[in-house]
C-alpha cells in the first residue's frame, strides 16, 4: 500500500484583468504580466482563473499526492459557467516534469467579474486515477481520489489567490500497529493484544482511497476511535506530532485485562467540508491473549474452616463454590465479593458443582446422597439419588441437557434431568469408585475410576465403556477435554498428567517437575489452550501444554491445599483452597 497525503494540491489564482474605482458601472481592463493573460487585455470586466497543480512524488513531503493521480475535472458556476478536464501527467497538455515533480497549468479565461466584492463563483475540483490524453477527458471507470466540491471565490479588481484543499475520498480504513508493537493479526481476523503486557500499544489509523493509497496530510479526514469497553481497553491520542497515531491502553491495577476478552473499536473517518462524502466507519476487534501471567490474588471465605471443595462458572458470570463442612454454597464475583447460601439439608457435605443448561447451579451432597439445585439468587431444592449412601462426588452438564454425576460408594454413574428425575447406571468394574466426571467432545460423558485404575465413558443412553490406565495404581481423580480434543486426566498417586483419545488410546503422559508427592487432584481447561491442575501436596497450580510443557506457580498462602479449579469469565484460573479456606485467582 502506498503512502499518500492530499495537501495543498493546487492554488487557484484569481487573476482579475480589470481595475477601477468602486461604484463605477464599468471596469477598465489592464494587462497582467502573467502569460496566462495573453489575449485577454481587451476583455472588459473579465478575469482569468489560472490553476497550477504541483505534484511531488516524494513521500516525505507534506504535499505528497497519491501516486495514482492522473487527472482532474474542474467545474465553475457563477456569472460565467465553465467545465473542463485536465491531465496531471508529465505528457498531458499544460504539464511539465522535473526531478520528482510534475507541474500542470490549467487556464480558465473570460470569467465575468462579480458585481460586488462578495463571492459570486463556486468551484468544484475532483481528481481521478485515470486520464485520456488523446481526448483530454476522464475516461469511464476512473476512480475518484479526492475532491473539493464547494470552494467559493470572486472575480474583482486586482489579483486574488484562493487556496483549495482537496479532501481524500475514503474507501476503507487501515489499522496499523507501530513498528515496536506487540499486536498481532489483521483487520479481517482482528488483533491479539498480549494480556501480560502492561504497556500501551501504539497504532496508526489511516483512511485509504479507492486505489489503496493512504490519505495523509492537510486533506486527510479526521480520525476518531471509540471503544465499546473502556474498562478493558482505553484509547488515547498518542503523544507526538503524528495526527493519526493512537495508544491502546490496557487497564491499570487493581483492574486487569481479561484473557480472551474482545473489545471492539469503532474507527470513524470524517471528511472535512467540501469533499461531498459522509463519514466512514469500520470496526476493529482487539482480543487479549489467554496467557496466564502468574499473578495471584486470594479472597478469604467468611465462614471459618468451611473446607471449600468445588468451583464452577455460573450463568450469571460469577464463580460458585461448595463449602464441604460449612454446608454452604458460595458465590464470588470477579472483583472478589463473596456471598454464602445455606444448603437445606444439615450436614449434606456439598462437593462437586456445575452450571446447568437451565441456568441454575447444580451440586452433589456427598454425605446426604442428594443432588442440589440452586438459582443464582440462592434459592435451593434437593433431589435424592436412587441408591442410598451412594456418596456422589462430582457433577457435570451432559450433551443431552441433563446433569451427570459420579457415585463413589455405589460405583455408579447417575443422571438427573433439570426437572429432578434421577437415573443410575453401574460401572462395568465392581468397586470402581468413579470420581471425576466431564462431558467429552464426542457427546459422551467421561469419568475416572479411582480404585479400578481406569477411565470410563458412558453414552447418554447409558452404555458404559472402560479403558485401563497404563500406569498401575495411578489413582486418577479428575479429567477434562483439552484443546486437542483428547481427555486429559491427573494421576494423583504418580504426579502425572496424561491423556486419552475418545477412541480409548492413551497418548500422553507427563510427570510434574516437582519430585515431591505433588498430588495433582483436579484439572480444567485453561484460557491459553493448556490444561491447568491443582497440586494439593506442594501448594501449587500447574499447567501442561498439549505438547507436555509443564509450568508451576506457587500459591502465596503456604499450606493452602488447592482443590477444584476453573477458568473464569475474566480468563483467570479460579480455584478453592481447602485448607487455606480461601478462593484464589491466578491471572
Amino acid at each position: 500500500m502506498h503512502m499518500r497525503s492530499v495537501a495543498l494540491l493546487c492554488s487557484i489564482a484569481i487573476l482579475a484583468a480589470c481595475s477601477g474605482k468602486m461604484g463605477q458601472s464599468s471596469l477598465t481592463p489592464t494587462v497582467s504580466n502573467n502569460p496566462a493573460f495573453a489575449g485577454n487585455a481587451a476583455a472588459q470586466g473579465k478575469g482569468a482563473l489560472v490553476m497550477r497543480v504541483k505534484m511531488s512524488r516524494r513521500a516525505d513531503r507534506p504535499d505528497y499526492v497519491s501516486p495514482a493521480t492522473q487527472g482532474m475535472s474542474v467545474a465553475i458556476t457563477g456569472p460565467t459557467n465553465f467545465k473542463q478536464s485536465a491531465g496531471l501527467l508529465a505528457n498531458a497538455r499544460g504539464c511539465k516534469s522535473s526531478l520528482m515533480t510534475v507541474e500542470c497549468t490549467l487556464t480558465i479565461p473570460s470569467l465575468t467579474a462579480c458585481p460586488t466584492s462578495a463571492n459570486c463563483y463556486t468551484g468544484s475540483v475532483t481528481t481521478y486515477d485515470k486520464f485520456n490524453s488523446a481526448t483530454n477527458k476522464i475516461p469511464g471507470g476512473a476512480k475518484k481520489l479526492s475532491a473539493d466540491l464547494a470552494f467559493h471565490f470572486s472575480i474583482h479588481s486586482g489579483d486574488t489567490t484562493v487556496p483549495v484543499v482537496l479532501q481524500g475520498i475514503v474507501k476503507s480504513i487501515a489499522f496499523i500497529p507501530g513498528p515496536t508493537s506487540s499486536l498481532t493479526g489483521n483487520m479481517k481476523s482482528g488483533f491479539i493484544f498480549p494480556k501480560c503486557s502492561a504497556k500501551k500499544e501504539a497504532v496508526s489509523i489511516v483512511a485509504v482511497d479507492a486505489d489503496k493509497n493512504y490519505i495523509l496530510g492537510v486533506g486527510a479526514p479526521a480520525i476518531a476511535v471509540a471503544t465499546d469497553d473502556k474498562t478493558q481497553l482505553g484509547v488515547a491520542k498518542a503523544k507526538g506530532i503524528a495526527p493519526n497515531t493512537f495508544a491502546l491502553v490496557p487497564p491499570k491495577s487493581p483492574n486487569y485485562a481479561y484473557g480472551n476478552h474482545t473489545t471492539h473499536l469503532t474507527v470513524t473517518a470524517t471528511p472535512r467540508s467540501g469533499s461531498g462524502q459522509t463519514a466512514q466507519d469500520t470496526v476493529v476487534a482487539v482480543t487479549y491473549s489467554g496467557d496466564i501471567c502468574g499473578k495471584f490474588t486470594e479472597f478469604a471465605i467468611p465462614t471459618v474452616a468451611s473446607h471449600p471443595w468445588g468451583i464452577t462458572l455460573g450463568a450469571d458470570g460469577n464463580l460458585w463454590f461448595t463449602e464441604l463442612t460449612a454446608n454452604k454454597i458460595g458465590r464470588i464475583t470477579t472483583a472478589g465479593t463473596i456471598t454464602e447460601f445455606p444448603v437445606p439439608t444439615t450436614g449434606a457435605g456439598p462437593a462437586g458443582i456445575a452450571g446447568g443448561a437451565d441456568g441454575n447451579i447444580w451440586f452433589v451432597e456427598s454425605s446426604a446422597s442428594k443432588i442440589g439445585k440452586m438459582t443464582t439468587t440462592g434459592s435451593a431444592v434437593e433431589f435424592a439419588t436412587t441408591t442410598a449412601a451412594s456418596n456422589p462426588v462430582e457433577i457435570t452438564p451432559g450433551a443431552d441437557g441433563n446433569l451427570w454425576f459420579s457415585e463413589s460408594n455405589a460405583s455408579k454413574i447417575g443422571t438427573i434431568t433439570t426437572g429432578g428425575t434421577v437415573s443410575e447406571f453401574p460401572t462395568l468394574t465392581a468397586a470402581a469408585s468413579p470420581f471425576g466426571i466431564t462431558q467429552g467432545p464426542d457427546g459422551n460423558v467421561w469419568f475416572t475410576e479411582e480404585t479400578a485404575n481406569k477411565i470410563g465413558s458412558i453414552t447418554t443412553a447409558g452404555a458404559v465403556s472402560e479403558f485401563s490406565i497404563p500406569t498401575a495404581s495411578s489413582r486418577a481423580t479428575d479429567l477434562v477435554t483439552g484443546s486437542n480434543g483428547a481427555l486429559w486426566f491427573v494421576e494423583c498417586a504418580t504426579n502425572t498428567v496424561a491423556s486419552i483419545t475418545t477412541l480409548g488410546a492413551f497418548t500422553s503422559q507427563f510427570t510434574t517437575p516437582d519430585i515431591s508427592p505433588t498430588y495433582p487432584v483436579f484439572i480444567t481447561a485453561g484460557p491459553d489452550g493448556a490444561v491447568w491442575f491443582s497440586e494439593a501436596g506442594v501448594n501449587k497450580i500447574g499447567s501442561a501444554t498439549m505438547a507436555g510443557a509443564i509450568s508451576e506457580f506457587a500459591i502465596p498462602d503456604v499450606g493452602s491445599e488447592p482443590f477444584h479449579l476453573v477458568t473464569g469469565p475474566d480468563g483467570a484460573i479460579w480455584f478453592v483452597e481447602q485448607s487455606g479456606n480461601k478462593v484464589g485467582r491466578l491471572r
Side-chain angles (χ1 to χ4, degrees):
M1 192 170 283
H2 305 288
M3 294 301 295
R4 173 202 183 217
S5 83
V6 177
L8 288 174
L9 177 59
C10 54
S11 289
I12 299 183
I14 309 302
L15 305 177
C18 52
S19 65
K21 297 181 180 180
M22 294 298 292
Q24 288 183 326
S25 58
S26 62
L27 299 175
T28 303
T30 61
V31 179
S32 168
N33 60 5
N34 192 298
F37 280 82
N40 286 340
Q44 185 173 357
K46 300 286 185 177
L49 175 64
V50 179
M51 300 184 66
R52 290 192 180 89
V53 183
K54 187 176 183 180
M55 298 180 297
S56 170
R57 299 299 180 184
R58 289 178 51 190
D60 58 344
R61 289 174 57 100
D63 60 352
Y64 180 62
V65 184
S66 167
T69 303
Q70 294 192 19
M72 69 177 180
S73 64
V74 180
I76 303 296
T77 59
T80 303
N81 296 326
F82 177 86
K83 188 173 183 180
Q84 186 173 320
S85 298
L88 299 177
L89 298 172
N91 62 349
R93 189 181 307 169
C95 295
K96 61 181 181 179
S97 63
S98 59
L99 183 63
M100 301 296 291
T101 302
V102 174
E103 183 174 344
C104 302
T105 302
L106 173 65
T107 301
I108 303 173
S110 302
L111 296 179
T112 302
C114 295
T116 68
S117 61
N119 294 332
C120 69
Y121 280 95
T122 298
S124 173
V125 176
T126 305
T127 64
Y128 295 85
D129 64 353
K130 290 183 176 64
F131 183 75
N132 189 324
S133 299
T135 62
N136 207 49
K137 293 181 179 180
I138 304 296
K143 298 173 184 175
K144 295 180 181 179
L145 300 178
S146 57
D148 189 336
L149 302 184
F151 62 90
H152 306 287
F153 62 94
S154 63
I155 296 290
H156 54 80
S157 178
D159 293 349
T160 304
T161 299
V162 180
V164 175
V165 178
L166 292 174
Q167 314 297 325
I169 296 177
V170 183
K171 287 299 181 182
S172 62
I173 297 173
F175 186 94
I176 312 160
T180 61
S181 174
S182 300
L183 292 175
T184 58
N186 54 57
M187 292 277 291
K188 184 177 181 180
S189 65
F191 292 87
I192 301 298
F193 194 124
K195 190 190 85 172
C196 298
S197 171
K199 70 168 188 154
K200 300 177 182 178
E201 293 288 346
V203 297
S204 295
I205 302 176
V206 186
V208 182
D209 69 17
D211 275 358
K212 303 187 183 303
N213 297 298
Y214 295 155
I215 305 173
L216 299 171
V218 179
I223 301 293
V225 187
T227 172
D228 69 351
D229 190 349
K230 63 182 179 181
T231 62
Q232 278 296 298
L233 187 64
V235 180
K237 288 298 293 290
K239 295 180 179 179
I241 61 173
N244 289 56
T245 303
F246 296 82
L248 305 186
V249 186
K252 294 182 179 179
S253 183
N255 296 321
Y256 56 95
Y258 282 13
N260 295 320
H261 176 85
T262 299
T263 300
H264 296 94
L265 304 177
T266 300
V267 180
T268 303
T270 303
R272 294 169 174 84
S273 61
S275 69
Q277 64 171 330
T278 58
Q280 302 290 314
D281 287 338
T282 191
V283 176
V284 180
V286 180
T287 303
Y288 286 113
S289 67
D291 301 335
I292 297 296
C293 312
K295 299 179 180 179
F296 282 96
T297 308
E298 296 170 289
F299 307 94
I301 297 172
T303 302
V304 177
S306 68
H307 290 96
W309 176 286
I311 187 168
T312 194
L313 175 61
D316 58 352
N318 296 317
L319 287 304
W320 290 75
F321 58 95
T322 54
E323 300 178 55
L324 187 70
T325 57
N327 211 53
K328 295 178 180 179
I329 303 298
R331 180 185 68 200
I332 183 170
T333 68
T334 53
T337 301
I338 295 177
T339 307
E340 296 173 302
F341 305 97
V343 173
T345 300
T346 302
I353 188 169
D358 58 353
N360 293 314
I361 305 300
W362 290 78
F363 54 95
V364 298
E365 301 177 14
S366 59
S367 299
S369 291
K370 294 180 179 180
I371 306 300
K373 177 176 74 173
M374 181 173 284
T375 67
T376 53
T377 58
S379 177
V381 294
E382 298 169 313
F383 309 94
T385 61
T386 304
T387 302
S390 64
N391 186 216
V393 184
E394 296 297 329
I395 189 168
T396 188
D400 57 356
N402 298 329
L403 284 302
W404 291 74
F405 53 94
S406 57
E407 298 178 270
S408 181
N409 283 353
S411 287
K412 294 179 179 180
I413 300 299
T415 181
I416 182 171
T417 67
T418 54
T421 301
V422 175
S423 302
E424 295 175 324
F425 305 94
T427 57
L428 299 182
T429 301
S433 300
F435 196 90
I437 191 167
T438 192
Q439 181 186 157
D442 56 353
N444 296 330
V445 172
W446 288 74
F447 54 93
T448 60
E449 299 181 11
E450 187 182 5
T451 57
N453 204 48
K454 294 179 180 180
I455 301 295
S457 75
I458 183 170
T459 68
T460 53
V464 176
S465 301
E466 293 177 331
F467 308 93
S468 295
I469 297 171
T471 304
S473 303
S474 67
R475 281 193 60 208
T477 49
D478 195 24
L479 75 173
V480 72
T481 299
S483 59
N484 64 349
L487 281 301
W488 287 74
F489 59 96
V490 283
E491 301 177 9
C492 185
T494 61
N495 297 356
T496 299
V497 181
S499 67
I500 180 175
T501 70
T502 54
L503 298 178
F506 291 89
T507 54
S508 301
Q509 190 168 13
F510 307 108
T511 303
T512 60
D514 199 320
I515 60 174
S516 304
T518 60
Y519 298 134
V521 185
F522 292 103
I523 189 168
T524 193
D528 55 350
V531 289
W532 289 76
F533 50 93
S534 56
E535 298 180 80
V538 291
N539 206 55
K540 294 178 180 179
I541 301 295
S543 74
T545 68
M546 300 299 95
I550 294 181
S551 302
E552 294 175 314
F553 301 86
I555 299 170
D557 187 0
V558 178
S560 65
E561 196 179 359
F563 250 48
H564 249 301
L565 66 175
V566 70
T567 296
D570 55 354
I573 303 296
W574 289 78
F575 57 96
V576 291
E577 303 176 12
Q578 191 171 67
S579 296
N581 207 54
K582 296 177 180 179
V583 177
R585 179 183 70 203
L586 173 60
R587 59 178 178 85

